[in-house]
Amino acid sequence: MAIESFSAPSFSSRSICSNARTESTQYTRSHRFPHVSRRTQLTRSTRYLKFQSIPTRGPAIISRLNASSDGELMYELHCSYHRRKGRTPVYVTLPVDSVGPSAQTMRRKKVMAQSFRALAAAGVEGVVMEVWWGLVEREYPRLYNWQGYLEIILLAKRCGLKVRAVMAFHQCGSGPGDPFWIPLPQWVLEEMDRDPDLSYSDRFGRRNMEYISLGCDNLPILHGRSPIQAYADFIRNFRDTFRPFLGSIVTGIQVGLGPGGELRYPSCPNQMQTWAWQSLELGEFQCYDKYMLASLNAHAWKRGMHEWANAGPIGASNLMQNLENTDFFRTDGSWKTPYGEFFLEWYSGMLLLLHGERICKEVKAILRGTEVNMSGKVGGMYWHYGTQSHPSELTAGYYNTSTRDGFLPIARMFGRYGFSICCACFEMQDSEGQQMNATSSPEGFLEQLLLAARVCDIPLEGENSATNFDDTLFQQVLKTSKFYSDGPRTPPFSFNFVRMDKNLFEYRNWASFTRFVRQMSDVNSFRGKLGFGGDTTVSSPSAAAYAGAVLA
């Protein structure tokens, strides 16, 4: 069996409908910011980042709506933006089921067209389109069907919107009963049935099939290709299929790096993600499939520690257990010992230096010359950020504790390959989470990640974790984005609103959303002209009424 170790990464590659065959450091420790309380850290950070912002001029939008002979509405939108420092573009993530089960066509075409027009009239920069591996390459390897996504891109072009494409190599939903269930490709699932160790496993033997185990990243387990080669071929075929749109309409590609599209292990089962932040969820180390155990064994023998070779930490957790009752995670637990350091360096190193580094290098080579912005997503594992050991971060693969900065290495890795960082939980407040879990700190977690991105001069993409339209949510996003983007020399910042649904276009919600877009753009008003035999100026209340009408 080929054994992988994060100390010696290697790289390889292979790569409308197409059936194409195309060509296909040891972790450097860094000093964390001084360990201070979240309130003190915020005060110091804000003082460091607080500079005079530069005013911007808002978008000038002119649109014309004409009726064609067949009754379809033909829409032309001409946008001219006066871009200056301080303007934050807002994108809107499309519904999960925007394309049909075989990706053959865009669903609800008239509603999608009307929604895109409303977004464009509101000054939204573009849409985020999740491109599911389980739909595009569903039945056979190297047989791709992009037709539904092509229709979305063409619609965005007609409406003057940009597109960010998310290469989603993970499962969506918790099971076949989930209305948004999208599994991995059928031929991948067949291989996982033949070899269950292709999926992650915890110490109880529970399998997680959201994403292929990174322990076999470089092994030819998918019809002669490795998972890394399969991901690279998928992105390469996307590039070749949509080359005319790259850099002009398709301006960004986010690469899926794990469950939920995030660079992490599936330490918390997918069905628990919606409420884990309210609980004492610690997570489980995902290192018990035979490929991960082989790597751990090789690493332990290389270090001369044979007794550490066969399993993960003893006494680590039991998912819902109080961390102070565990031998590994408690304040004076074994996470601080030489064994704890050995294991956590290997575990996070496999995620970062073997998995993340490989994929980023492949993607950079594939997209070179396309003028497309590349990004990767970091998971918001913040529900034990207020403790010493940070167990929910450790089990997810982020070696971040009260005495060690685990986010600076992540930011440096993305920075080496010209990637932006995407992270959710921009709308979350400590006061909300701490009502249920006193150790939760989404604000503290996010501030540390933002500081790491600022230090490495990396562009940032923010997201909300939960969809609601309360003004409190939008104000918290504005506050957090200001924390990152204030200053005369800051990397670009943008925001992805998750996600578009019928509730967005209800009058009150639409009014809140359009006000938020204007505030992110740092403008007081925006104008759109809709020609119905005459010019009508549309302000934010009229835009809300327009959106409600077109979706009725």
Side-chain angles (χ1 to χ4, degrees), residues 370-386:
T370 61
E371 299 183 2
V372 169
N373 297 317
M374 302 170 293
S375 64
K377 190 172 182 181
V378 176
M381 317 300 288
Y382 49 78
W383 41 92
H384 286 95
Y385 187 83

Side-chain angles (χ1 to χ4, degrees), residues 193-439:
D193 287 341
R194 279 192 280 269
D195 183 359
D197 284 291
L198 299 184
S199 56
Y200 286 107
S201 177
D202 63 17
R203 64 196 176 104
F204 299 108
R206 293 175 297 201
R207 300 284 177 183
N208 187 296
M209 300 179 69
E210 294 177 60
Y211 190 82
I212 299 174
S213 170
L214 64 82
C216 53
D217 264 355
N218 212 33
L219 303 177
I221 48 90
L222 298 177
H223 292 250
R225 293 185 298 169
S226 70
I228 296 288
Q229 289 171 332
Y231 305 149
D233 286 348
F234 186 89
I235 297 171
R236 187 178 293 109
N237 198 270
F238 179 89
R239 176 204 65 189
D240 295 341
T241 302
F242 296 102
R243 189 181 294 275
F245 306 100
L246 299 183
S248 56
I249 305 302
V250 180
T251 57
I253 291 180
Q254 184 184 121
V255 182
L257 296 166
E262 300 166 344
L263 180 66
R264 63 175 176 86
Y265 293 98
S267 53
C268 181
N270 188 48
Q271 60 269 27
M272 294 183 179
Q273 284 290 331
T274 56
W275 54 265
W277 64 275
Q278 297 180 333
S279 71
L280 297 177
E281 177 70 59
L282 303 179
E284 288 286 349
F285 289 111
Q286 302 293 310
C287 60
Y288 290 87
D289 64 80
K290 67 182 180 184
Y291 302 105
M292 291 291 287
L293 286 175
S295 175
L296 176 61
N297 185 285
H299 191 60
W301 279 77
K302 184 176 180 179
R303 293 278 294 270
M305 300 295 182
H306 305 167
E307 65 275 19
W308 296 344
N310 297 318
I314 297 174
S317 72
N318 187 9
L319 284 180
M320 298 297 296
Q321 189 173 353
N322 188 316
L323 67 88
E324 293 300 334
N325 295 331
T326 68
D327 293 333
F328 192 80
F329 291 125
R330 68 190 185 200
T331 301
D332 60 346
S334 54
W335 61 274
K336 289 182 171 181
T337 65
Y339 166 72
E341 293 178 356
F342 157 83
F343 175 80
L344 293 172
E345 285 180 358
W346 167 80
Y347 190 68
S348 63
M350 286 287 287
L351 180 69
L352 219 64
L353 299 180
L354 210 67
H355 182 69
E357 189 105 16
R358 279 178 176 164
I359 294 180
C360 287
K361 185 173 182 178
E362 290 280 357
V363 172
K364 181 181 179 180
I366 293 168
L367 298 178
R368 184 177 288 115
T370 61
E371 299 183 2
V372 169
N373 297 317
M374 302 170 293
S375 64
K377 190 172 182 181
V378 176
M381 317 300 288
Y382 49 78
W383 41 92
H384 286 95
Y385 187 83
T387 67
Q388 294 289 303
S389 60
H390 296 216
S392 50
E393 294 157 66
L394 297 185
T395 54
Y398 307 151
Y399 192 0
N400 188 59
T401 68
S402 61
T403 57
R404 190 181 192 278
D405 184 3
F407 294 135
L408 203 53
I410 294 174
R412 286 172 174 162
M413 187 271 291
F414 281 126
R416 278 196 295 273
Y417 297 98
F419 273 56
S420 303
I421 291 180
C422 179
C423 187
C425 63
F426 264 66
E427 85 286 10
M428 305 202 71
Q429 300 181 34
D430 286 353
S431 58
E432 178 186 6
Q434 289 171 0
Q435 292 178 7
M436 303 294 294
N437 178 3
T439 65

Side-chain angles (χ1 to χ4, degrees), residues 62-66 528-538:
I62 301 174
S63 57
R64 184 168 71 252
L65 200 61
N66 298 316
K529 289 187 178 180
L530 297 175
F532 296 90
D535 289 340
T536 303
T537 300
V538 180

